[in-house]
Amino acid sequence: MTALHPTPSTPSTAIPRSLLIINPNSTTAMTTALVPIITPLLPPSFRATYFTGPPSSPPSINNEADSTASATACLPLLLPLLASHDAVLIACYSAHPLVPQLRARTAAPVIGILEASVYFSLALLGASGAAGGKFGIVTTGAAWESLLATAVEELLGGKGRFAGVTSTGLDADQLHRVGREELEARMGEATRKLVGEGEEGKEGAQGAEVVCLGCAGMVGLREVVEQAAKEVGKSVKVVDGVEAGVGVLVGMVGRY
């Protein structure tokens, strides 16, 4: 059954702003894991409502077909909720169909965590002052490597400062089921590959200086990525797409 869980808001005479946080798969554990990440990011005048996809939605979104199936399952349930929320976050790291579908049906800002993480990454590269710096993505299953690369290049209008995508080989729901030791080993291997200097002798090869966590289920793994980069002598900035998305929406609500 679809789960809606409003977080407590600070008492105020003003009506609180409301964010709708959408997990389009049907795994409630993934939604639950978002709450302690998002709650501290909300100003006192904001509250969040959490939506989990219905049982007809895939338990894990592992490819383009799963994305489409989850959008089909979730859209009818989401439409009645739009009028009561000031902004919408799609907490799936993909070019998810719900992003354009909901944008076409509400004047409220709607963003996906992939898009938000790209914006944050570009800003962080500019702040680093490193000429030609690049960002990359550590994601789940290997199928996402080409899908996310295509989505980012479409956002940027080309490769731009994008270093590419590496994968852990774990599906999103497996992130919550494998042992911590295996999870950290897989994340570390993918990170070291991404931040390395690329193939020897390859013109323009350069490792990522900013790393995006390419799955909503990777919340809380920032330190694992940072440590893996240190093991190959690199210091990286890590972007959590969920945190980035909340930051973008909080900044937009009431201003645009």
Side-chain angles (χ1 to χ4, degrees):
M1 180 177 292
T2 300
L4 291 171
H5 306 294
T7 56
S9 60
T10 301
S12 172
T13 55
I15 297 175
R17 300 291 191 174
S18 179
L19 303 186
L20 177 59
I21 312 297
I22 299 169
N23 169 20
N25 69 48
S26 57
T27 301
T28 56
M30 294 189 196
T31 310
T32 301
L34 297 175
V35 178
I37 302 298
I38 292 175
T39 301
L41 304 176
L42 300 177
S45 58
F46 280 73
R47 64 181 178 88
T49 300
Y50 295 86
F51 173 97
T52 304
S56 56
S57 192
S60 176
I61 297 175
N62 302 322
N63 49 51
E64 201 164 13
D66 287 343
S67 294
T68 300
S70 68
T72 300
C74 293
L75 184 61
L77 302 174
L78 291 170
L79 294 181
L81 305 177
L82 294 179
S84 59
H85 291 86
D86 298 288
V88 181
L89 179 68
I90 312 300
C92 176
Y93 204 93
S94 67
H96 200 280
L98 281 174
V99 176
Q101 289 172 356
L102 295 180
R103 281 178 177 163
R105 292 166 168 85
T106 178
V110 177
I111 197 167
I113 60 176
L114 165 63
E115 187 177 4
S117 74
V118 171
Y119 299 157
F120 264 57
S121 295
L122 293 174
L124 287 172
L125 287 174
S128 71
K134 295 183 179 182
F135 73 95
I137 300 168
V138 172
T139 190
T140 50
W144 285 113
E145 292 188 14
S146 60
L147 290 172
L148 292 180
T150 298
V152 171
E153 289 173 21
E154 288 179 354
L155 279 173
L156 298 177
K159 291 185 180 296
R161 302 175 75 178
F162 181 48
V165 186
T166 58
S167 63
T168 63
L170 298 170
D171 291 339
D173 58 335
Q174 291 177 311
L175 294 175
H176 297 270
R177 292 191 279 109
V178 301
R180 183 72 182 188
E181 184 176 351
E182 181 180 354
L183 176 59
E184 291 189 5
R186 298 249 196 156
M187 288 289 294
E189 181 181 359
T191 298
R192 289 188 290 272
K193 181 179 178 182
L194 185 65
V195 305
E197 293 300 331
E199 300 173 17
E200 187 175 353
K202 183 178 178 181
E203 183 179 357
Q206 182 175 7
E209 297 174 4
V210 175
V211 177
C212 298
L213 300 177
C215 176
M218 289 180 176
V219 292
L221 294 175
R222 181 189 306 274
E223 292 78 10
V224 175
V225 171
E226 292 172 340
Q227 180 58 38
K230 288 179 182 177
E231 292 171 5
V232 290
K234 296 294 185 67
S235 176
V236 298
K237 296 180 176 70
V238 181
V239 175
D240 183 319
V242 173
E243 294 178 356
V246 171
V248 170
L249 294 176
V250 167
M252 293 180 70
V253 168
R255 295 172 175 83
Y256 300 97

